Amino acid sequence: MNDVIRQAAAMLLCYPDQGFRDRLPLVRAAVAELPPGEAREALTAFCAYAAARTDLELGGEYVRTFDLKRRRALHLTYYTDGDTRRRGHALARIKEIYGACGWRLDAAELPDHLAVVLEFAARGNREEGERLLVRFQPGIELLRAALAGGPYAAVLDAVAATLPPPDEARREAARLAAAGPPAEDVGLDPFGRVPLGMPAKIGAAT
């Protein structure tokens, strides 16, 4: 069940391009087969929201919602490492984990994007993916809190439902929010920077 929830969430957190539209009916069908519960309800609500919006409306909402400010970043190492040398090391370590599991990324994808981590947990290596999600759970909770009241909050609620009770994660999220991001703007090479909407698609990794 968690695999289906995470794969659905991964697809719904991609930039809403034509590929997103093409996949949405498949995601809705998979979500409809989940047992009743918080995750199914949340994902169903977001799918209905997305289906009722035009491409322009949904794309605008995505861009307004997710940015590189610490509280609304989809790149999970940003919550703990900011733009520092330490973040570069963290990205390299995640990529090593993927490689050891035979999981390959598109060249445009950063390994810490929440959609990428979710798909790895659903389709790559469940155990290693679970470890990564738990490791970044404080950042996920910080993002979830920042999205409260908006349509994408439902997707983060579904992700949270697949993880351990978040009490400790919420305490750590509060600490991260109070501390603010490290500001040293170096150390991301060889990963470089990617546009806000990345990844536009999920499912190319093997």
Side-chain angles (χ1 to χ4, degrees):
M1 181 179 71
N2 281 354
D3 292 349
V4 175
I5 295 169
R6 289 169 178 172
Q7 182 66 34
M11 292 181 175
L12 296 175
L13 288 172
C14 291
Y15 182 81
D17 59 6
Q18 186 57 49
F20 176 97
R21 285 292 183 191
D22 293 343
R23 293 188 299 268
L24 186 58
L26 299 176
V27 174
R28 295 185 80 172
V31 169
E33 295 182 2
L34 290 169
E38 179 182 358
R40 176 181 170 179
E41 181 178 344
L43 293 174
T44 298
F46 182 82
C47 287
Y49 166 85
R53 265 60 185 182
T54 66
D55 292 346
L56 185 61
E57 289 171 338
L58 198 57
E61 180 65 31
Y62 188 95
V63 172
R64 287 190 298 272
T65 298
F66 300 113
D67 56 29
L68 293 180
K69 294 179 182 177
R70 193 175 189 227
R71 293 173 186 267
R72 287 189 171 184
L74 283 168
H75 296 94
L76 298 175
T77 60
Y78 192 70
Y79 292 96
T80 53
D81 301 305
D83 282 339
T84 66
R85 290 184 181 90
R86 190 173 65 188
R87 185 179 177 216
H89 295 317
L91 291 170
R93 177 56 187 146
I94 299 169
K95 199 168 184 179
E96 287 175 359
I97 292 171
Y98 292 163
C101 297
W103 190 255
R104 299 290 180 265
L105 301 179
D106 285 344
E109 293 178 342
L110 281 182
D112 67 333
H113 193 285
L114 178 54
V116 174
V117 179
L118 285 167
E119 190 185 26
F120 174 68
R123 296 180 54 237
N125 184 293
R126 184 181 299 168
E127 183 177 341
E128 291 294 340
E130 180 82 12
R131 287 174 181 166
L132 283 174
L133 288 169
V134 171
R135 170 184 168 187
F136 291 118
Q137 193 174 5
I140 292 171
E141 285 297 319
L142 195 61
L143 175 60
R144 184 185 177 198
L147 298 181
Y152 280 93
V155 184
L156 270 291
D157 287 345
V159 172
T162 72
L163 295 173
D167 291 346
E168 183 61 33
R170 284 175 178 162
R171 285 192 289 271
E172 178 64 9
R175 187 195 68 78
L176 291 174
E184 181 186 10
D185 193 19
V186 295
L188 291 181
D189 289 340
F191 299 98
R193 298 183 183 276
V194 294
L196 171 64
M198 193 289 301
K201 61 180 180 179
I202 286 290
T206 56

